[in-house]
Amino acid sequence: MPALTPWEELVTTALLGTDRRALSTPGKEAPLTLLDQAAAQTVRRRAGLRPAPAAAPPQPAADDPRPPLPPAARQRLATLLTDQPGSGGSGRRGAAPDLMELLPQWLSLANARGYGAPPELLPALLNAARGRTDLRPQALTFAGPRALWLARLNPDWKFALRSTPGGGMALPDPTDTAQVQQLWEEGLFAERVALLTTLREHDAQAARALLSTTWQTERAEDRLMFLDTLRTGLCEADEPFLEEALTDRSRNVRATAAELLSALPASALAARMAARAASCVAVDHVASTPTLTVEAPHECDAAMERDGVVAKPPTGRGERSWWLGQLVDSAPLNSWQGRLGNRTPTEIVALPVADDWRGELHAAWCRAAVRQRDAAWSRALLGTPASPDAAGPGAVSLAERAKLLASLPPRERADWVAGFIAAHGLSEAFQLLGVCAVPWAEPLGRAVVDALNIARDAGSYPWSFSGVMGLAERCLDPAEAVRLEALTAVPDESENASPGAGGYWSEAFQRLVTTLRLRAAITTELTP
Amino acid sequence: MTQQGVRWTADQVLALAPDAPSRKAGSKLGVAGPWSEAGSSGEGTVWGLCKGSGSKPYQTVVDITCAGEAAGPAYKCSCPSRKFPCKHALGLLLVWAGQDGTVPEGEPPAWAEEWLATRRKRTAEKRSSPPSSTPADPEAAHRRAEKRAERITAGVTELEQRLSDLLRGGTAAAEQTGYGLWEETAARMVDAQAPGLAARVRELGAIPSSGHGWPVRLLEECALLHLLDQGWLHREELPDELAATVRSRVGLPAQPQGPPLRDHWLVLAQYDTADSKLTTRRIWMYGTESGRTALLLSYGAAGRAPSLALPVGLALDAALSWYPGGIRLRADLGEQFTAPAPTPLRPPGVRVSEATAHYGEALRKDPWLESHPVTLADVTPTQSTDGWQLTDPEEDLALPLSPSAASRPGLWRLVALSGGAPLTVFGECGHRGFTPLAAWPKDAEGTIPLC
């Protein structure tokens, strides 16, 4: 056993006590001698502190070539990140803006302008993205390579490595064929998906060619993931490859291939589906007014299954209507005009449908219009915004309407929703507002503000409209702030109003105006 | 002095906030929306009207020069908040810092001017009649001091007895006896009017439950407490400076002495520590011409922010005077000649081995010193098997970070700033390790606070 150092001797003696263990140098009073010696040793030990040997320093983070933020924008970001959720006490929102809600917009603007993140704000940024998955893609793009470097050092930020294709590793330049080929052959699955995704964005043909080289030898679940990358830049040149995949061993791969082919109206599969669907729907000219008659398929044959039709319906649905739906939503919409007496989509949609098939048929057309991004059919199926069944649970649900709206040009979309709000108020409009371009076009913004104003005059509390209010804060054009100023005054309490509602409305409009001002400032600050 | 372009940053403004909810509330008001008639004067005052929930807007004025007041920025607001500064003052300063044109230069309106004039008058009066350092009745003061010294001596003697008892029976028993015994002893030291001793005794009580290595730490702290006791009992025989150090460590109040030093003082760091009764704010300053480092202390009663607040990274032209003692770090802020303003200056750094040597030398003058302020040049935050350290690639040596520093969010800000490259770091270097407080990356301007 090695001899104890004088200091270790002292610590042992102190633990046991001087009554049990005598000091080697007896002095005045044993405990005081011990304390004297310990004091000298302690000061000596501290004064003699030496630095430790250096550990191997980390690999430096990759350079971020993006320009730094302008100072005002940097400050704004720091302020937005200070506003962590849950740090305030009260439930009521008051007149001050919700800064955290502006972060997504701030990030998308900063990314659009190509700025790099200030390093000292990366921890706060990563923590914000950790708590809010919806924020992650934008936040990680903005955070750049140094955030991934940080994430490798702190387990709390592991999500950043997962959310970034290839775990933030450097992918070869898409034009470097040799490097691309090597990573495709030797890379891990995640790296290969990342490579294929990047390549597909850069050169769709090359990506498909690369996939073809190893397609036969890939595992079924890998084939499915790889096939999914074809959604980006899908075009007619992909058809032979997809047609081949229709005979794949895996049912999921076959279904995905069929779905992709049906989104190509000129494909052979689309033509086959068109023929099948056409045989089910006809115009009955014998009736007093022309009427659509529907004869759903009687069987799902092997050829249909090969083209992706799922034979077994989900519980609660009839087989024949299930098959009909699949045929109609995979058939190219432009095939119907010739089939149904050269009518326009609007005229076709207006035709009465015999035997309660209307809902089934229109729902399938809606799915087709969404998949094929067909504006004319979307417009026809949406109908006029003011029509009474536009708000009700008619043939086309609000969720489907929202999807159909997405196929229309932004301005038309905004006008339709503005019309809808004018006719039906705000309570059903939330979903539809979500698909409108930001900032809202002027007529849409006015429709929303007018509707809020009407709701206020009706005497209800603003929090019944907090969803729309929140959207308005994020989506209204900042230029509207001037017009809204008048609404921030506390109105006289009317008889049928809920107690105190006027004050709360004034507060809500104040918050709206302040938020719009803030958004205008954010845009200015991020403009070089 | 505060011309366009040298305003504060949002971080610097938010550093003035008394607590986190104020920071949040303040930043929400830091936009043009609720403000009207806002303006600022070239002399460092900002004013504005803030729309609240009532019909009458709040009147907010901030004076960031506070020439001669020695209390950081001064605020006045007609809101009922007892927070100081209130959210309106913070919001106003944020809008002013934002430089978006909402706060133009101009003449203060009557309601702001009234307060400013009163302030200026009071300051002028103060300056013309500085508080006399000699008490009204020197005889009585002397008797009071004698009396207090007697009580401290009695306390010290009792404490020596307690330490003796502890070591006679062995510290192994301290693990069982728990906190109560020390709480009682600490209370006795408060009675003896030795708050410095009381605080050390209270910390002693927490050591046995502090995990691995506690017997070493307990012996160290007992020994240093004993050393302080002996220092007090023999203070007449000590050199003046060491005797002054002992007096201040025991907890006797002191006054700054000697001529004030005027310099451009860069604010390196500001952070608070709090216990149930008191919030202590430490502000580290660096004299860009004299090269001296100073520590300003400010206190707030429980739940209230200390009155002095200086935003990190700004520099001010001011005079400081130091308290007596061996190290002469602690100082008081005397007259301020300008408002704090941004500066590109940063303190020069030393190598890692010099940093530990400085601490060692400082212990000679003050053996009770926990840590010493130091700026390290070109060090890289590095993860080792024992935790984080700052490595000096030139010397191939490193300073481990103190355990408390390694668990603070500032660590990650430091690591992010470095990105694996060396940078300049200011902090406290001591036997528990290094605590980083501010950093300057190679090719960026401004001081980044880490606390």
Side-chain angles (χ1 to χ4, degrees), chain A residues 35-74:
Chain A
L35 283 168
D36 280 345
Q37 291 181 7
Q41 287 283 348
T42 298
V43 178
R44 179 191 301 196
R45 270 158 51 86
R46 289 187 180 180
L49 274 179
R50 294 274 170 80
Q59 277 290 323
D63 274 342
D64 192 340
R66 297 174 297 176
L69 287 172
R74 202 210 72 91

Side-chain angles (χ1 to χ4, degrees), chain A residues 413-440:
Chain A
R413 219 182 294 170
D415 285 343
W416 198 93
V417 179
F420 180 91
I421 290 171
H424 307 289
L426 285 171
S427 43
E428 307 284 346
F430 191 76
Q431 240 173 337
L432 304 177
L433 283 168
V435 296
C436 293
V438 176
W440 286 338

Side-chain angles (χ1 to χ4, degrees), chain A residues 428-481:
Chain A
E428 307 284 346
F430 191 76
Q431 240 173 337
L432 304 177
L433 283 168
V435 296
C436 293
V438 176
W440 286 338
E442 206 254 325
L444 176 59
R446 204 174 14 183
V448 171
V449 173
D450 286 350
L452 285 171
N453 209 357
I454 289 166
R456 174 178 72 164
D457 291 344
S460 54
Y461 283 119
W463 39 87
S464 320
F465 301 90
S466 60
V468 175
M469 252 315 178
L471 266 183
E473 284 166 21
R474 272 169 281 152
C475 307
L476 259 185
D477 191 323
E480 299 281 317

Side-chain angles (χ1 to χ4, degrees), chain B residues 401-417:
Chain B
L401 291 195
S402 65
S404 59
S407 61
R408 283 204 311 226
L411 166 71
W412 289 103
R413 228 183 298 170
L414 175 64
V415 176
L417 273 176

